[in-house]
Every structure is written in C-alpha cells, then in structure tokens.
Amino acid sequence: MAITGWFVALLALGAVPTIAIGQPLALVAWVVLVLLLAGLDLVLAGSARAVRIQRILPQRVRLGETVRSELLVTNLGRRAIHGLVRDAWQPSAGASTTRHPLSIPAGERRSFSTSLTPFRRGERRSANVTIRTFGPLHLAARQASIVAPGAIRVLPPFNSRKHLPSRLAQLRELDGRTSVMIRGQGTEFDSLREYVRGDDVRSIDWRASARRTDPVQGGPSLVVRTWRPERDRRVVIVIDSGRTSAARIDREPRIDTAYESALLLAALASRAGDHVDLVIFDRRVRGRVQGATGADLMSRLVDTMSPIEPELIEMDWSAVPGLVRSITSQHALVVLATSIDSPGSARGLLAALPQLTRKHTVVVSSVTDPTVLQATRERADRTQVYRAAAAERAMLDIARVSTAIRQLGADVVTGAPADLPPALADRYIALKASGRL
Amino acid sequence: MSATPTLERAEAAPHEPDTQVSNEVATPRTRTVARRALFWIVLVLVLLTLVVTGLVLAGSGPSTERLSATNAHPVGAKALIEVLKQDGVAVAAPRSLRSAIADVSANPTTTTLVLYDQSSILTASQLTRLSSVASDLVVIEPSFTALRALAPSISAAGFAPSRASAGCDFGPAQLAGSLSGLGKWYRVDSNVDSTTCFGSKGAYSLVRVAGPDGTVTVLGSTTILTNQSITQSGNAALALGLFGANNHLVWYLPSFADAPAMPTGGIPAPTWVPLLAALLGLVVVAAAFWRGRRFGAIVIERMPVVVRASETLEGRARLYQKASARTHALDALRIGTLDRLAKLCGLPTRATLDDIVGAVASHTGRPLDEVRSLLVDETPTGDAHLVRLSDDLADLEKEVAKATRPS
C-alpha cells in the first residue's frame, strides 16, 4: 500500500472546515472522510499482484556499449491497472530510467523498454519488478514486488582489439619468409618456391632444384626452401588478481589492463595457431580457461574474466609453477600479468621465477604509472621536488626489480595502460619470429 | 513479438530462449503481514498493560517522602503513626488542603492538626484558613511565611545544638527529659504568654503560644520524629505526648496539588488552534508516509575496491618532506639523473660514476669539479638549496641531451 500527494493535500484541506466550525468533531469527521475515500480508492484500484512479467534481455554486453532491455507486463486481473512500474536495475547497469508510467487494460500486455549502458564490468542484475497501481481518485495505491530476476553479463571492453589487424598483418609477414629473415630452431619447413632475386643463396635447395626444370625456358631453375613459424605452441597467461591488481592507473584498475593484454595476446596467438590457456589466480584459482580454440576461446575468456574483481589479499606466487605444470607439461610461453613495484613486494615473484624459466619462456607484463614519470619532471617548488624524488625512487625500484627478473631469465614488458597490450603483442610476435616459443 | 502495445492474450507467451517469465510475488499479502505481526501486537499490548498496571500500583504504594505517615524508610514517620494508632488515636493523613480542613472540621475540638510543609507550598491565605479551623495546631519546622501567618509572635533564631533537655513545665517535654537530633531554634516576643522548652537564653526548639483559634505549637525538628531517630533519648515520649493529646490526629503534608495555579495572561486563543495543530501533526505523518514509502526493495550492489596507484608515491613524498630528508631526496634525484645521463652519453650500464662524470664534463664543457660536485658531492643545506640543486640537475640533463643530439 502507498498513498499519494493528493491524499496529503486532501488531509491538509481539512484546515478549512476545522477553522470554520471550530469543533473537534469537524476535524475527526474530516479525517474519517479522507480515510474512507482512500480506502475506497484502494478497493477500486487494480491488483498489482495479478500480473505476469517477462523479460527480453541480451545475455552479454561489452562494457561501454548500450543494449535494450524489454519488460513485458501482462495484466492478469479483472480490472485495468494504472500506475507505475519500476525495474530495479543495479545502479552500475546504467539504466536510462527505472520507472515507467503504466496503463494496461485487463488481460492485455504492454512492453516497456529501457536502454542499459553499464559502466562497470561483471554481472549486473535486476531482482524485482515493483508495480504500483492507483485507484480512480489517485489517493492511494496498491503495491507489489514481483520476483523477476534479470541479469546481464558485462564483458571487458577489449578496446585493444584495434591493435589486432596490424599485429595480424605482422604475423602473416612471418609466413613464407626465407631463413635469411628468420633463424632459429623453432621454425618449421613450410614449402618450396622458385628463387627470386634477393633470396638468400644459402636457402637454395639444390636437390629440389636438380629435379625441377623450368616450365617456360626449359632450362634448370632454382628452388628455395621457405619457412613458417612453428604452430601448436602453448601460451599460458597467468593473471594476478591479488591486492596490487586493484590499484587504479589512469582510472583503470591494473587487472583490467591485464585483461586487455590477455585478450589481445589470446586473439593473436589463436590466429597464429597456438593454444592459449588462461588462469586468474591470487591464493586460489579464480578463473580458468583451458583447451578452448577459435571463436569459442574469446567468448570463454571474456565470460571468465567478466565477474572477477581483485581481492585484497597477497598473491601466492609459490603456487604458480605448480599451476603452470598442471596446465601443460610442454615448453610454453608463460605470461605473468602482475605488477612490478618494489623489491619487497616482488620477493615472492622472484622466488618462483627460476622454476618457471627452467622450462618455459617467461614474460612478466606490468603496467607502469605515467603520472610517476611526469612527477619526476615537475620540480617547481619544495613539495614538487620531494615528490619528484619519491617518483625517482619508485622508478628506481621498478628498474631494480626488472633487472632482477631479467637476470632470472625472464622477460619484462612494461607500459602505460594504453600501451601495454600492443607492447605484449609485439613481444609475442618477436618471440615467435625468433622461434623461441 | 512487437514492442508496441499488443492485444494478444496472456496465454500466448513467447518461447524464446532469452525470455524469462515470472509472476511470483515477493511482497506478502496484507493478511499475511497482519498474521505475522499479530504476535508482536499482542506482546506490545500485554507489555503496555503490565507497565500501566505497575505504574498505578507503584503510585498508590508507600511513599518515600520525609515524615510521610506511610513511609517505612528511615526518614518516614510510619513508626510514630502506627504507635499512635495502637494507642487509640484516629489518624488521618490527607494530602490536600481541602481534605485536611474537612478532616479537622469533623471534630474541631478533639483534633490535633500536624502541618509539615517541607516545600513551602501553602500560601499565607491557605495557612490562615487552616489555622482558623484547628484548635490544636502543631507546625514542624515552619517557613518564614508559615510563621507569619500562624504565629506572628514567634520568629526563627538559627540552628539549635543537636541535644537539649526540657527545662520547662510542659507535660510531654518533662516526660521526655531530653531530646537528640534537634534542628532549629525559635524566639518568642517577650510580651506574649508562651511555653518554651528545649533551649536557653530566649531561643527554643519547642514553643507553644495561644493563637486566636487555639494553641499553636512550633517544633524545630523533623529528625526526632523519623523512624530512624524516634527511639533515641526522649524523642518518642515527646512525640506521643504532643500528638496523642487528642483523640484525633490529622497528619497533613501539603502536596503540589495545593499550589495555587499560575496566572495566564494575553488574549485567549481561538478554539481551533489546538485542532489545527493536531491536523498539522496528522498531515506531517501522512506526508512522511507518502515520501517515505519505498517503491520496491533497495537495490544492493557490491562495489569494487578502489586503490589509487600513486598513493605510495604521495606517501613517500610527504614522508621525505616531513622528515626534511633532503640528502635522501637529492640522492634519489641524482641516481635517476645519472641513469639518464649514462644513456644519453651512450655509456654501458656498468659504467662507473667517474666515467659518467667525465663523459658529461666533456660533452658540456663544464669543469670536471663542478659536474662532480653537482652530481655527487654537494650536500643540500636547506630546502631552497635542494630546489636549486634539483633545478641544476634538470638543466644539466637538458644540456647533455642538447649536446648529444645528432645535428
């Protein structure tokens, strides 16, 4: 039950008879009259319970995109209902409006559409739909909440997909190169083709040339071997969802940057024919994608990532080598998406690295804060000089940890939030080109 | 399915995979709410009844007032009253002036009226009305007003020593011999015929004078009558003799109901003013319900943790500043500068400090000592010096960058 402003106004209007008559009975009579009218209104109002709610809702949406949420309300009661309907979306679902005026004759159905522009990753829900129906006098209303769970999964935005075409083009250029461009054990023999000027003479396959005659001139022609990058390598991405990943850099949590990098790398690697596995880990496995390929891989990745937020606990690096071992026993490219801060907090990472580098190629990717670099340059007054000193100190710490990581045989990729995903993709391409996968 | 209003019946529900249908109602029905609330309503009613009953019972129970006839506490006078009752004295303990006068008027000649006005409630006119009906009036520790109204010849004379002997020929006082726990002294005009006991040199704790309507006795102590002290010395003898002289005793302690009403001024308000105030209250309650009624349950959302990455940086900077760690701060700046200078000069990462200083000096043409002092040796003497050194470092960097840039 609810009352309207008209009820309050009507009650306040009782001042007129009260002053005019000046007897307590006038006031009592007025209050009783208003209550009776409200009661009558309540009885005459259509039932807010006799409705059926249907939702038409897409299951997923990328962060930053807009979708339409349809709410179909069927009036199952005997009377028409007039009033308001509220679809209780969570605030971060970014609903354009959550309340709609409602007017449905008995037995009919109306649709209400809301546009949702979620501004936070994860699962956004609306548990109930509340309906308030007014009586003909608009004094009182009936109200009921109907359980109508609706949920929409907000996926990471994958803004870095704009870098994908250029990186795929680089990847294609690796195909069909001769050994002058690519040397290493990791490359595979691909095919034979005719010699063109500029090819390395060392890659001429003399036996094949001897067997072959030029179809046009009839004379002998030279044939060179071509190579292509290895396929079916393994890429294991470990994302740190611990305490340090909650920090925001450029209004983006570190873990979101890690997701962006992981998505770009996975898209690239799966096109290049490699297997990508993902683990999101702090002290326990928060999310895991294993054995997925092609389009399925990307959708499973974003689905897994979407609800996971960092937790305020320390990352357990000692469990990571075992985790990687459980995923693959082969040599793999292990990408650790974490943060390189200070020697103190990186101790766990540094302790676990030797076990990983012994068998795998390891890349540590970390977001750097552009404001730190900027702070070193601002030295106008005393406060800023001290700030610059602190920033220099922080950069020195990062440099020391990076050096230690490199000494342990792993690779370091750092960058600002916008630059890290393409930087990691480039590192992958470079590793692939040199056959170190 | 169209998004526009349709006329299809409810049975024609669509069968699309992403459509969820529900008509389960979360809000309980009114009668369910009433049934659930019944227990609590009953509980509250029962508790209210209990509290009200308790209050009513407590109100009629023994009082804790000083010298009250029903007070069994140390400061009460129940012991005295009970003994008097056993001796055959009819005791009445009125709490209002009207009933006190009525009680006295029932047997005006054989009644002793005892007045103890602790809070000086009665006015002079009320006291006069009282004294006009009483033939035997005993006033305990009267106030100035009471003395003026009842016995104008008696006046207060300060505090009495706690023990005193009778020293007079008044019967009960002689019987008592001596008292302990006396309070006040009174003085009598010498031209008035009076009986004075328990005192000396014109100041006494018990004074009897003949008033216009009967005797007035002023007793300067409440302590001797209390349950606690009545058994000491001759207290009981005096009290029983004084109050048991007549067959009837009216033990009157004025209450605030006797206080005259405060006069109210101004024009009388119209009758509808309180009604309008009541209506206003009702409107406020209705408006509160109108605005306060929630349109469905509150939506809960788990918020992510927000940690700003530069917090450690800011914290460290403030720590440096607070501790005035100038050398420390300058060292950090120098290490960063040296790193960049080494890169600019194309030196390997393992280059020593001297290598860098030498390379920078040769690139900029500055003297070796000056470069070395700026990059290594100089210690800042104050914050101004620190800022200057930091500026110099930045300038040096710029200079080297300019010198090493391929032209």
Side-chain angles (χ1 to χ4, degrees):
Chain A
M1 203 202 98
I3 58 170
T4 65
W6 293 113
F7 177 90
V8 180
L10 192 67
L11 192 63
L13 203 65
V16 176
T18 308
I19 293 173
I21 300 170
Q23 295 292 320
L25 200 63
L27 177 64
V28 173
W30 183 264
V31 172
V32 169
L33 175 74
V34 172
L35 286 178
L36 277 178
L37 284 175
L40 181 73
D41 211 25
L42 212 56
V43 171
L44 290 178
S47 171
R49 299 167 167 276
V51 292
R52 177 185 292 157
I53 306 289
Q54 288 161 261
R55 283 182 188 279
I56 304 171
L57 198 62
Q59 287 182 349
R60 296 184 177 79
V61 59
R62 269 194 204 292
L63 188 66
E65 288 176 1
T66 302
V67 287
R68 274 176 97 74
S69 151
E70 293 265 339
L71 193 71
L72 298 173
V73 182
T74 314
N75 183 1
L76 303 176
R78 280 168 302 167
R79 277 196 290 259
I81 53 177
H82 304 279
L84 288 169
V85 57
R86 175 196 180 209
D87 191 2
W89 281 105
Q90 288 178 335
S92 70
S96 55
T97 175
T98 53
R99 291 167 189 220
H100 303 272
L102 161 128
S103 182
I104 311 175
E108 290 191 19
R109 181 169 68 182
R110 292 287 183 276
S111 133
F112 304 93
S113 93
T114 309
S115 65
L116 301 176
T117 315
F119 56 81
R120 195 172 294 134
R121 194 164 45 71
E123 188 130 280
R124 302 281 83 91
R125 298 164 194 283
S126 164
N128 291 333
V129 170
T130 307
I131 288 178
R132 186 178 276 191
T133 64
F134 296 109
L137 300 171
H138 260 259
L139 291 178
R142 293 202 208 175
Q143 180 175 317
S145 290
I146 289 126
V147 180
I152 185 164
R153 184 161 273 214
V154 186
L155 307 176
F158 195 14
N159 291 325
S160 60
R161 65 181 180 276
K162 64 182 177 229
H163 300 291
L164 194 55
S166 61
R167 265 62 188 185
L168 284 175
Q170 284 184 30
L171 203 62
R172 271 194 300 276
E173 283 166 19
L174 294 182
D175 276 343
R177 284 197 190 174
T178 59
S179 57
V180 68
M181 309 298 234
I182 310 161
R183 281 206 197 89
Q185 299 163 342
T187 44
E188 287 173 354
F189 170 70
D190 184 20
S191 62
L192 294 168
R193 66 170 166 81
E194 210 162 305
Y195 175 83
V196 290
R197 204 173 287 173
D199 281 344
D200 189 353
V201 289
R202 284 175 297 181
S203 64
I204 293 172
D205 189 333
W206 294 106
R207 285 190 199 180
S209 302
R211 282 200 293 271
R212 190 186 153 95
T213 50
D214 193 323
V216 183
Q217 293 164 3
S221 75
L222 292 173
V223 172
V224 291
R225 293 179 184 193
T226 63
W227 308 86
R228 64 165 191 180
E230 286 171 317
R231 301 179 72 83
D232 295 328
R233 301 285 115 181
R234 301 200 70 111
V235 177
V236 179
I237 306 171
V238 180
I239 294 179
D240 167 8
S241 63
R243 184 175 63 84
T244 51
S245 294
R248 270 164 200 260
I249 294 172
D250 265 8
R251 279 172 297 165
E252 183 176 285
R254 276 198 175 117
I255 200 165
D256 282 14
T257 314
Y259 285 170
E260 288 284 313
S261 327
L263 285 173
L264 183 64
L265 180 61
L268 201 59
S270 67
R271 303 279 177 94
D274 292 338
H275 296 288
V276 180
D277 302 304
L278 172 93
V279 187
I280 302 169
F281 185 78
D282 39 58
R283 297 197 86 82
R284 62 191 170 88
V285 176
R286 304 276 306 279
R288 189 197 279 259
V289 176
Q290 246 177 292
T293 50
D296 183 38
L297 171 71
M298 294 310 283
S299 79
R300 278 185 59 190
L301 281 180
V302 287
D303 252 7
T304 309
M305 288 169 177
S306 127
I308 299 175
E309 297 286 351
E311 283 192 6
L312 290 183
I313 49 178
E314 200 70 37
M315 173 83 172
D316 180 15
W317 284 109
S318 61
V320 170
L323 196 65
V324 173
R325 212 175 302 128
S326 75
I327 292 169
T328 176
S329 53
Q330 305 168 19
H331 173 265
L333 169 67
V334 178
V335 177
L336 304 175
T338 177
S339 51
I340 300 174
D341 263 341
S342 60
S345 62
R347 196 169 295 146
L349 170 66
L350 294 176
L353 269 178
Q355 292 185 58
L356 287 170
T357 51
R358 206 175 300 146
K359 188 157 187 191
H360 307 290
T361 306
V362 180
V363 173
V364 180
S365 93
S366 164
V367 192
T368 52
D369 194 346
T371 56
V372 175
L373 194 63
Q374 205 188 340
T376 61
R377 298 195 187 118
E378 288 166 357
R379 300 180 182 184
D381 58 17
R382 190 171 73 113
T383 311
Q384 285 192 348
V385 167
Y386 280 117
R387 199 159 172 267
E392 291 278 16
R393 185 83 219 166
M395 284 172 62
L396 185 69
D397 280 346
I398 294 172
R400 277 166 67 195
V401 176
S402 301
T403 312
I405 291 172
R406 289 203 181 91
Q407 277 171 356
L408 290 172
D411 214 345
V412 179
V413 180
T414 56
D419 307 332
L420 186 64
L424 186 63
D426 289 343
R427 187 60 54 95
Y428 165 78
I429 292 169
L431 286 172
K432 187 126 184 124
S434 59
R436 281 177 59 201
L437 284 187
Chain B
M1 151 182 349
S2 74
T4 50
T6 58
L7 277 168
E8 57 188 319
R9 297 291 302 179
E11 287 75 34
H15 296 284
E16 286 178 27
D18 56 349
T19 308
Q20 300 132 14
V21 182
S22 69
N23 54 359
E24 183 194 338
V25 181
T27 313
R29 286 182 175 280
T30 319
R31 64 181 93 99
T32 319
V33 174
R35 206 182 309 129
R36 271 184 214 156
L38 191 66
F39 170 74
W40 295 106
I41 292 171
V42 169
L43 189 72
V44 167
L45 282 180
V46 166
L47 282 179
L48 266 180
T49 320
L50 282 179
V51 166
V52 167
T53 324
L55 279 177
V56 167
L57 287 177
S60 64
S63 96
T64 54
E65 209 176 342
R66 192 170 176 84
L67 289 195
S68 165
T70 53
N71 185 357
H73 287 89
V75 298
K78 191 173 179 183
L80 171 63
I81 300 296
E82 289 301 315
V83 172
L84 284 169
K85 276 181 187 170
Q86 282 168 21
D87 287 354
V89 179
V91 181
R95 293 310 309 266
S96 72
L97 182 66
R98 185 181 297 184
S99 53
I101 290 171
D103 285 340
V104 176
S105 306
N107 306 287
T109 50
T110 57
T111 301
T112 306
L113 171 63
V114 179
L115 172 67
Y116 173 53
D117 189 1
Q118 188 181 8
S119 312
S120 304
I121 293 166
L122 298 181
T123 60
S125 63
Q126 285 172 320
L127 288 164
T128 317
R129 273 170 63 201
L130 201 60
S131 74
S132 66
V133 294
S135 58
D136 185 6
L137 175 63
V138 179
V139 195
I140 301 167
E141 285 195 355
S143 64
F144 178 72
T145 321
L147 275 179
R148 296 286 302 197
L150 303 174
S153 56
I154 303 177
S155 54
F159 292 92
S162 106
R163 292 185 65 85
S165 53
C168 68
D169 56 358
F170 179 49
Q174 277 184 329
L175 269 175
S178 71
L179 299 182
S180 72
L182 289 172
K184 288 176 181 163
W185 262 344
Y186 297 94
R187 186 174 289 124
V188 196
D189 290 353
S190 54
N191 54 355
V192 176
D193 185 21
S194 63
T195 310
T196 52
C197 308
F198 304 107
S200 57
K201 295 173 192 160
Y204 306 95
S205 285
L206 181 75
V207 181
R208 274 170 78 85
V209 292
D213 306 296
T215 47
V216 176
T217 310
V218 172
L219 178 61
S221 172
T222 55
T223 315
I224 58 165
L225 306 178
T226 56
N227 296 337
Q228 191 176 27
S229 315
I230 187 90
T231 52
Q232 293 171 7
S233 304
N235 295 357
L238 176 74
L240 292 176
L242 197 58
F243 305 127
N246 288 313
N247 290 335
H248 299 275
L249 176 69
V250 176
W251 191 265
Y252 174 41
L253 273 59
S255 65
F256 283 101
D258 294 331
M262 295 297 268
T264 52
I267 311 153
T271 52
W272 49 262
V273 170
L275 296 179
L276 208 58
L279 178 66
L280 190 69
L282 288 177
V283 169
V284 166
V285 169
F289 183 59
W290 165 43
R291 297 312 304 173
R293 177 76 171 104
R294 277 205 306 257
F295 195 7
I298 284 177
V299 179
I300 312 162
E301 181 170 0
R302 237 189 107 181
M303 304 297 279
V305 189
V306 176
V307 184
R308 276 182 55 221
S310 55
E311 256 163 24
T312 41
L313 169 73
E314 307 287 349
R316 192 183 266 161
R318 250 169 265 143
L319 207 61
Y320 281 166
Q321 190 168 353
K322 211 169 179 184
S324 293
R326 295 183 201 101
T327 324
H328 218 77
L330 189 64
D331 277 351
L333 291 174
R334 275 171 174 162
I335 291 169
T337 305
L338 283 170
D339 237 29
R340 285 188 290 271
L341 287 176
K343 264 185 210 137
L344 284 171
C345 299
L347 295 170
T349 43
R350 289 175 190 189
T352 62
L353 203 58
D354 292 327
D355 295 343
I356 300 171
V357 170
V360 168
S362 71
H363 273 297
T364 55
R366 293 192 193 189
L368 203 64
D369 286 350
E370 186 195 316
V371 173
R372 195 181 164 81
S373 135
L374 175 60
L375 282 178
V376 188
D377 293 337
E378 209 168 339
T379 24
T381 52
D383 280 335
H385 192 197
L386 173 68
V387 175
R388 201 165 61 242
L389 281 174
S390 121
D391 287 345
D392 290 349
L393 283 172
D395 288 344
L396 182 69
E397 239 179 276
K398 267 182 222 154
E399 209 174 313
V400 173
K402 204 172 165 191
T404 53
R405 195 179 303 144
S407 48

